């Protein structure tokens, strides 16, 4: 399949040239011309050829932006840029950064904030980054302490810990237990507060308590105390590790025990009042990270209810057509990391007989604080303090992680280049920590998760490096359990039984523990926790959630063990190691020979007769049939372009991610453009840094401008605004307060935020009418993707995977153009009434990021960049 090449640079360059020509022509025209004339000159259309594509997080979102989208298989290249061959490189270069700093305790110290200025200092450079800037705004990750050092005594003869001037611990162990003990000591010393806050929430994540955001439990400081039954689910995983990995299981458990011993020893030596740390704590922490950042799907009920809303409002046929437009299973124009096709379709084969529709407005989410005793719940969910979410809608999605990899053939110096990191949010204490581990067979440096830091989550060894972005692959399914009564009477939402394998079986009530002082119990079926109830064609159903990694969280430690120990030194061994990670991540990999990619996840093979976007009938006829084999996962040793890019985007053509991830024709990964034929490390950092301050919706503006050029501006003001936006987009749509004066430097951010929502509504309204007016929450692709494909179709441009329905202007170009102009005119007139008539002076307050949960007052300029980030160049020979 040919996928549209999102050569954003080419599109903008040709379009920007047209904008310039139009402005020059307007300047040369008579002074009596209406200002709108110059801004409505038709730009020269730039044809967009076919490409690959693909969508993290969890995202550091720029206010007013959509964050759901995907990366290109055919990477954009600016052929006009040339680079002279460089000197032969024989030495590696490696740097990293973690704001605000590597120490995360209270009271704070210098190492709590000493990387924040570096992180913020890179932001205003955009893509004008030099090698000197890298050395100034990152710290070395070359297995050596930086500057003055301080020894940290532990009382254990085989363990040595040296802290450098950035508070990074360099831990050496004579045995692997000595090394793990040192990592545990460091965890309690530098992240003791986080370890204590996270113990309970980690168990809440492991047992899948419906509707509770375990991540927010930690950041809010609320306590969760697990029940004996919940703790047993953790303990059971110890034996599972031993049974699954007969050769390595004992070593994993011994490493975890030594880590726990180190944390306990630190607390005892420093009179910290805390319960002893245990192997169970290590396993629960693993579940916490994986279930929050490494699991997708679970929104099928919400999708089904949205389908019914559309069918009620628009009629069955039109409603279904719109739903298919907004919920594509494999948009051929969606940017993907790989070109090669990997099939994991939404439709599992045959007639769809096992997917359940949900009646509009019928879902009632479970509030786990007040479930009916032993029954399907009927209590409406409350969402206090961000801790609870509507359980039946699926867990929150977090993405904004990214990595940019270049093979030696795409490098000036024939080196492998990597700029990569996960977006984990900005917290104090930060939820990962930098460290350097040295022990028998181990030489690794990077970022580890406090609580399981005997292994690195992301980092490098002497010969390779790796990183992760959230993939949100489909490891959660919602089942619709058909409720029944044992005596054959008519079931209701409160019925305590459901149909399975031809029998009417009872729900079981699971006691999870207490949230604060409130007992947390919920019904479970054979599939998992009940997350709510609904009706389907009028019949009551209970909605349950099944996660493939449930009960298997600790097994993921084997993958991190491999990476840390240097066992992934070839692409083949990297694939094998990454495949041991049941959580769903996009793994980026770089070694001296090249770059690689693997999409991990314990991905179910579904029965025939299903549409994965909708709930599955829970009667036992449509159970999972196994799991994907390693070779069936999207993976690659290199790329035809020499580059691999990912920003939480679609993995590969044909591969559907979670049912709550629909990839359209626009994705923020397209902002990773303007590459030279051959790159240098500073250039790759520049591509990342420019994209981090670029409005992620900006690539859709040129097509909007082309449609506007088909009509006339209704006022001088609206024409001026469009002209300013043309210029801002041509300058790569900066969201930047470079002078740090509190306001964005130009009017573009405020203008775009002002008009984008009204433009989106104007595109949808002719078809979706009252749903737009009533501000219904639309599911599926983001607004930019809908606008992009619909308007390009109107303009007669090449479009693959056309929509079923013409939206803007009901498919009429002139009507659409007039509607867009009217929406812009009304929006900017309202702003002018407050700010005056010169839109070039309308500056928005520059967005700033603070550190959750508010323990420290520091902030910095908002940037759409990973929290922890590595910058690495591997020489051909060490």
């Amino acid at each position: 399949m040919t996928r549209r090449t999102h050569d954003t640079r080419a599109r903008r360059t040709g379009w920007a040239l047209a904008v310039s020509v139009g402005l020059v022509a307007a300047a040369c025209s008579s002074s009596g011309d209406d200002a709108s004339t110059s801004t409505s000159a038709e730009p020269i259309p730039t044809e967009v050829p076919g490409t690959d594509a693909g969508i993290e997080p969890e995202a550091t979102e720029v206010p007013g932006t959509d964050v759901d989208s995907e990366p290109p298989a055919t990477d954009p290249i600016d052929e006009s840029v040339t680079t002279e061959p460089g000197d032969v490189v024989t030495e590696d270069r490696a740097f990293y950064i973690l704001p605000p700093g590597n120490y995360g305790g209270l009271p704070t110290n210098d190492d709590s904030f000493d990387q924040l200025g570096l992180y913020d200092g890179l932001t205003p450079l955009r893509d004008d980054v030099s090698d000197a800037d890298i050395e100034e705004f990152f710290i070395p990750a070359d297995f050596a302490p930086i500057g003055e050092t301080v020894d940290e005594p532990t009382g254990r003869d085989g363990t040595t810990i040296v802290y450098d001037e950035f508070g990074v611990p360099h831990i050496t162990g004579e045995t692997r237990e000595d090394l793990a003990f040192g990592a545990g000591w460091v965890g309690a010393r530098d992240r003791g507060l986080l370890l204590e806050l996270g113990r309970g929430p980690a168990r809440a994540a492991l047992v899948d308590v419906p509707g509770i955001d375990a991540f927010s439990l930690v950041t809010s400081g609320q306590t969760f105390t697990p029940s004996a039954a919940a703790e047993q689910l953790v303990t059971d995983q110890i034996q599972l590790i031993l049974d699954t990995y007969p050769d390595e299981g004992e070593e994993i458990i011994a490493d975890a025990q030594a880590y726990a011993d180190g944390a306990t020893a630190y607390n005892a030596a420093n009179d910290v009042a805390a319960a002893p740390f245990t192997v169970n704590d290590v396993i629960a922490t693993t579940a916490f990270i994986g279930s929050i950042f490494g699991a997708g799907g679970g929104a099928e009920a919400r999708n089904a209810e949205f389908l019914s809303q559309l069918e009620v409002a628009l009629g069955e046929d039109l409603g279904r057509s719109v739903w298919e437009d907004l919920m594509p299973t494999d948009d051929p124009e969606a940017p993907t990391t790989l070109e090669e096709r990997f099939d994991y379709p939404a439709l599992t084969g045959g007639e769809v007989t096992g997917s359940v529709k949900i009646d509009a407005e019928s879902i009632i989410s479970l509030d786990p604080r007040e479930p009916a005793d032993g029954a399907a719940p009927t209590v409406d969910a409350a969402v206090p303090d961000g801790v609870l979410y509507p359980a039946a809608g699926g867990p929150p999605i977090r993405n904004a992680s990214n990595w940019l990899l270049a093979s030696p053939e795409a490098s000036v110096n024939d080196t492998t280049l990597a700029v990569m990191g996960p977006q984990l949010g900005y917290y104090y204490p930060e939820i990962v920590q930098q460290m350097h581990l040295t022990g028998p067979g181990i030489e690794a440096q990077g970022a580890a998760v406090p609580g399981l830091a005997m292994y690195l989550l992301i980092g490098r060894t002497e010969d390779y490096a790796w990183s992760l972005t959230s993939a949100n692959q489909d490891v959660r399914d919602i089942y619709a359990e058909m409720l029944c009564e044992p005596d054959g009477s008519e079931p209701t939402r409160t019925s305590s039984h459901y149909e399975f394998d031809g029998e009417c079986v009872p729900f079981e009530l699971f006691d999870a523990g207490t949230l604060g002082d409130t007992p947390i119990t919920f019904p479970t079926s054979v599939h998992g926790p009940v997350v709510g109830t609904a009706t389907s064609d009028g019949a009551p159903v209970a909605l349950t959630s099944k996660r493939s990694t449930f009960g298997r969280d600790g097994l993921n430690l084997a993958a991190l063990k491999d990476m840390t120990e240097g066992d992934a030194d070839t692409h083949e061994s990297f694939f094998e190691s990454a495949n041991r990670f049941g959580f769903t991540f996009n793994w980026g990999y770089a070694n001296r020979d090249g770059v690689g990619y693997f999409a991990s996840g314990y991905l179910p093979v579904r029965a025939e007769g299903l549409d994965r976007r909708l709930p599955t009938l829970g009667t036992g006829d449509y159970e999972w049939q196994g799991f994907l084999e390693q070779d069936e996962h999207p993976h690659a040793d290199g790329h035809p372009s020499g580059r691999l890019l990912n920003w939480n985007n679609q993995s590969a053509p044909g591969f559907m991610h979670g049912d709550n991830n629909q990839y359209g024709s626009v994705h923020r990964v397209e902002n990773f453009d303007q590459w030279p034929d051959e790159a240098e490390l500073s250039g790759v950092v520049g591509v990342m840094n420019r994209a981090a301050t670029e409005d992620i919706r900006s690539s859709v503006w040129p097509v909007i401008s082309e449609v506007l050029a088909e009509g006339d501006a209704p006022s001088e003001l609206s024409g001026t605004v469009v002209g300013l936006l043309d210029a801002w987009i041509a300058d790569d749509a900066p969201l930047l307060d470079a002078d740090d004066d509190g306001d964005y430097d130009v009017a573009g951010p405020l203008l775009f935020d002002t008009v984008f929502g009204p433009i989106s509504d104007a595109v949808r309204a002719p078809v979706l009418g009252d749903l737009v007016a009533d501000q219904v929450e639309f599911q599926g692709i983001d607004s930019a993707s809908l606008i992009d494909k619909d308007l390009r179709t109107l303009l007669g441009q090449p479009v693959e995977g056309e929509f079923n329905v013409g939206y803007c202007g009901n498919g009429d170009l002139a009507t659409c153009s007039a509607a867009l102009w009217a929406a812009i005119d009304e929006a900017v007139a309202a702003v002018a009434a407050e700010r005056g008539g010169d839109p070039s002076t309308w500056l928005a307050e520059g967005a700033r990021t603070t550190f959750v949960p508010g323990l420290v007052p520091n902030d910095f300029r908002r940037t759409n960049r990973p929290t922890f980030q590595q910058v690495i160049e591997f020489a051909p020979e060490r």
Side-chain angles (χ1 to χ4, degrees):
M1 176 183 292
T2 301
R3 301 171 83 83
R4 183 162 62 91
T5 301
H6 284 283
D7 191 338
T8 311
R9 172 69 170 182
R11 294 171 67 190
R12 286 185 184 160
T13 300
W15 167 79
L17 176 62
V19 169
S20 299
V21 170
L23 292 176
V24 169
C28 295
S29 65
S30 67
S31 59
D33 284 350
D34 191 304
S36 63
T37 305
S38 64
T39 58
S40 61
E42 181 176 357
I44 300 171
T46 301
E47 187 170 320
V48 184
T51 180
D52 277 36
I55 182 175
E56 234 240 274
E58 193 104 277
T60 302
E61 299 179 19
V62 179
T65 62
D66 296 327
V67 296
D68 47 335
S69 13
E70 18 231 293
T74 304
D75 301 319
I77 299 175
D78 181 1
E79 302 290 356
S80 66
V81 179
T82 59
T83 308
E84 294 299 322
D87 297 329
V88 175
V89 174
T90 58
E91 299 293 331
D92 298 339
R93 290 194 290 164
F95 306 86
Y96 58 2
I97 192 79
L98 178 67
N102 199 46
Y103 181 70
L106 292 174
T108 61
N109 63 27
D110 290 344
D111 295 329
S112 297
F113 306 109
D114 53 8
Q115 296 183 60
L116 182 54
L118 309 182
Y119 191 85
D120 188 49
L122 186 72
T123 299
L125 300 181
R126 301 210 82 200
D127 57 0
D128 186 19
V129 177
S130 66
D131 286 342
D133 294 323
I134 293 175
E135 294 175 3
E136 180 178 0
F137 296 121
F138 292 84
I139 64 175
D142 56 5
F143 306 117
I146 305 166
E148 295 185 7
T149 61
V150 176
D151 292 337
E152 173 80 9
T154 67
R156 183 169 176 131
D157 292 339
T159 300
T160 302
I161 301 174
V162 174
Y163 277 89
D164 65 24
E165 69 178 32
F166 279 94
V168 174
H170 299 257
I171 308 166
T172 303
E174 292 183 8
T175 66
R176 52 184 309 123
E177 287 81 8
D178 292 335
L179 180 61
F181 179 93
W185 180 283
V186 162
R189 177 193 183 275
D190 297 346
R191 293 293 189 277
L193 176 61
L194 185 62
L195 291 182
E196 287 306 306
L197 289 175
R199 286 190 186 197
R203 272 106 173 141
L206 182 142
V207 302
D208 276 353
V209 177
I212 288 186
D213 181 4
F215 198 76
S216 294
L217 277 183
V218 176
T219 59
S220 68
Q222 298 195 42
T223 59
F224 178 81
T225 304
S227 66
E231 194 62 33
Q232 187 62 47
L233 290 175
V234 187
T235 303
D236 290 345
Q237 295 199 36
I238 297 175
Q239 190 60 49
L240 179 64
I241 291 171
L242 295 172
D243 293 342
T244 305
Y245 302 124
D247 297 331
E248 302 168 84
E250 290 186 5
E251 202 166 55
I252 291 172
I253 299 304
D255 290 344
Q257 184 63 64
Y259 180 88
D261 292 344
T264 301
Y266 174 86
N267 288 337
N270 292 275
D271 297 323
V272 176
F277 209 73
T278 67
V279 173
N280 277 28
D281 290 319
V282 175
I283 291 173
T285 304
T286 307
F288 174 75
I289 293 297
S291 65
I292 302 301
F293 294 103
E300 294 96 334
R302 184 181 63 188
N303 295 343
E305 186 179 49
F306 179 51
L307 171 59
S308 293
Q309 285 179 295
L310 291 172
E311 291 181 339
V312 168
L314 307 177
E316 187 170 341
D317 291 341
L318 179 58
R320 182 74 191 214
S321 294
V322 169
W323 189 79
E324 293 288 354
D325 287 345
L326 299 180
M327 305 283 291
T329 62
D330 185 25
D331 187 333
E333 295 184 335
T336 55
T337 294
L338 303 182
E339 288 185 338
E340 183 181 354
R341 185 175 184 85
F342 288 84
D343 286 314
Y344 194 46
L347 303 178
T348 61
E351 183 182 356
V352 176
T353 54
S355 294
V356 177
K357 295 181 69 173
I358 300 297
D359 297 336
E361 314 299 334
S362 72
I363 293 177
I364 301 176
S365 286
L366 166 68
D367 183 336
R369 301 168 303 173
E370 304 178 41
D373 187 21
T378 58
V379 179
D380 219 342
V383 191
D385 302 323
V387 169
L388 297 182
Y389 63 88
I397 293 179
R398 294 177 170 88
N399 13 259
S401 311
N402 60 51
W403 40 253
L404 303 86
L405 308 174
S407 300
E409 64 268 23
S411 163
V412 168
N413 298 308
D414 297 324
T415 54
T416 304
L417 308 176
V419 176
M420 51 188 180
Q423 174 48 259
L424 301 167
Y426 297 96
Y427 301 92
Y428 189 89
E430 193 55 84
I431 62 173
V432 295
Q433 59 187 139
Q434 292 159 304
M435 60 175 53
H436 168 208
L437 302 175
T438 302
I442 297 174
E443 189 71 68
Q445 187 167 7
V449 176
L452 55 96
M454 65 281 186
Y455 310 133
L456 297 183
L457 177 68
I458 317 108
R460 64 161 303 200
T461 66
E462 293 179 300
D463 294 307
Y464 66 83
W466 75 99
S467 191
L468 308 171
T469 74
S470 294
N472 296 309
Q473 304 278 14
D474 202 3
V475 296
R476 288 192 190 97
D477 278 357
I478 295 294
Y479 283 81
E481 314 287 8
M482 304 306 296
L483 295 171
C484 59
E485 292 289 349
D487 62 5
S489 61
E490 195 73 18
T492 68
R493 283 182 186 260
T494 58
S495 293
S496 60
H497 290 64
Y498 64 101
E499 297 176 14
F500 187 76
D501 282 349
E503 297 183 10
C504 188
V505 297
F507 289 101
E508 295 183 4
L509 190 66
F510 185 77
D511 172 15
T514 56
L515 178 60
D517 296 327
T518 303
I520 299 296
T521 58
F522 49 88
T524 64
S525 75
V526 294
H527 299 114
V530 174
V531 295
T533 61
T535 60
S536 177
D537 291 330
V541 296
L543 304 170
T544 60
S545 177
K546 182 176 182 178
R547 172 166 62 92
S548 68
T549 52
F550 183 83
R552 303 171 53 88
D553 311 277
L555 297 178
N556 292 275
L557 290 168
L560 301 184
K561 178 177 183 289
D562 284 354
M563 294 289 173
T564 304
E565 293 178 353
D567 292 340
D569 55 349
T570 66
H571 284 83
E572 291 73 19
S573 57
F574 158 65
F575 296 149
E576 292 173 3
S577 296
N579 190 49
R580 301 174 86 176
F581 216 57
F583 300 137
T584 74
F585 286 95
N586 298 298
W587 294 68
Y589 173 81
N591 67 13
R592 301 185 187 284
D593 297 325
V595 298
Y597 168 65
F598 190 88
S600 71
Y602 196 48
L603 299 177
V605 176
R606 275 87 177 176
E608 289 189 0
L610 298 177
D611 182 337
R612 287 169 47 203
R613 297 169 294 179
L614 299 172
T616 298
L617 184 63
T619 55
D621 297 319
Y622 298 95
E623 302 303 292
W624 291 346
Q625 307 295 300
F627 299 88
L628 294 189
E629 299 292 334
Q630 177 179 316
D631 287 346
E632 295 176 295
H633 289 248
H635 63 281
D637 174 354
H639 187 277
S641 70
R643 287 181 290 276
L644 285 168
L645 305 176
N646 190 275
W647 203 345
N648 308 112
N649 50 272
Q650 186 176 341
S651 301
F655 207 86
M656 177 181 158
H657 288 230
D659 47 79
N660 49 357
N661 275 354
Q662 279 72 42
Y663 301 108
S665 61
V666 173
H667 192 281
R668 61 177 175 265
V669 75
E670 297 174 282
N671 291 355
F672 290 155
D673 59 0
Q674 303 180 42
W675 288 77
D677 290 340
E678 295 180 332
E680 295 181 288
L681 187 61
S682 59
V684 182
V685 174
V687 170
M688 174 281 301
N689 196 48
R690 175 176 42 76
T693 56
E694 186 170 353
D695 193 303
I696 62 174
R697 306 161 298 179
S698 60
S699 62
V700 76
W701 177 259
V703 72
I704 295 172
S705 185
E706 289 182 52
V707 171
L708 292 172
E710 296 292 324
D712 295 324
S715 68
E716 180 178 352
L717 176 63
S718 58
T720 300
V721 165
V722 169
L724 289 169
L725 284 171
D726 284 344
W728 178 67
I729 298 292
D731 192 35
D732 298 316
L735 295 166
L736 186 63
D737 176 14
D739 58 9
D740 211 7
D741 68 353
D743 291 331
Y744 284 127
D745 300 332
V746 295
L750 187 146
L751 298 179
F752 202 38
D753 278 348
T754 297
V755 304
F756 188 80
I759 287 172
S760 177
D761 287 348
V763 170
R764 289 185 169 100
V767 173
L768 298 174
D770 290 342
L771 294 174
V772 174
D774 294 341
Q775 297 183 322
V776 168
E777 182 181 356
F778 288 91
Q779 310 302 325
I781 58 174
D782 65 329
S783 296
S785 293
L786 174 64
I787 294 168
D788 173 61
K789 183 165 292 196
D790 186 56
L791 297 193
R792 285 190 295 110
T793 302
L794 268 180
L795 289 165
Q797 296 179 359
V799 174
E800 294 183 75
E802 286 190 18
F803 288 146
N804 297 302
V805 180
Y807 294 89
C808 190
N810 274 318
D812 180 77
L813 179 58
T815 303
C816 174
S817 180
L820 298 188
W821 274 119
I824 292 170
D825 194 51
E826 180 179 359
V828 299
V831 178
E834 296 180 3
R835 290 180 172 254
D838 182 2
S840 67
T841 66
W842 298 353
L843 303 182
E845 181 179 353
R848 300 189 72 83
T849 295
T850 57
F851 291 92
V852 177
L855 298 177
V856 297
N858 307 67
D859 65 0
F860 62 97
R861 287 170 287 200
R862 183 74 56 88
T863 177
N864 201 9
R865 174 185 173 193
T867 314
F868 172 79
Q869 192 167 48
Q870 301 179 94
V871 173
I872 293 178
E873 180 173 29
F874 281 123
E877 296 181 6
R878 182 159 47 87

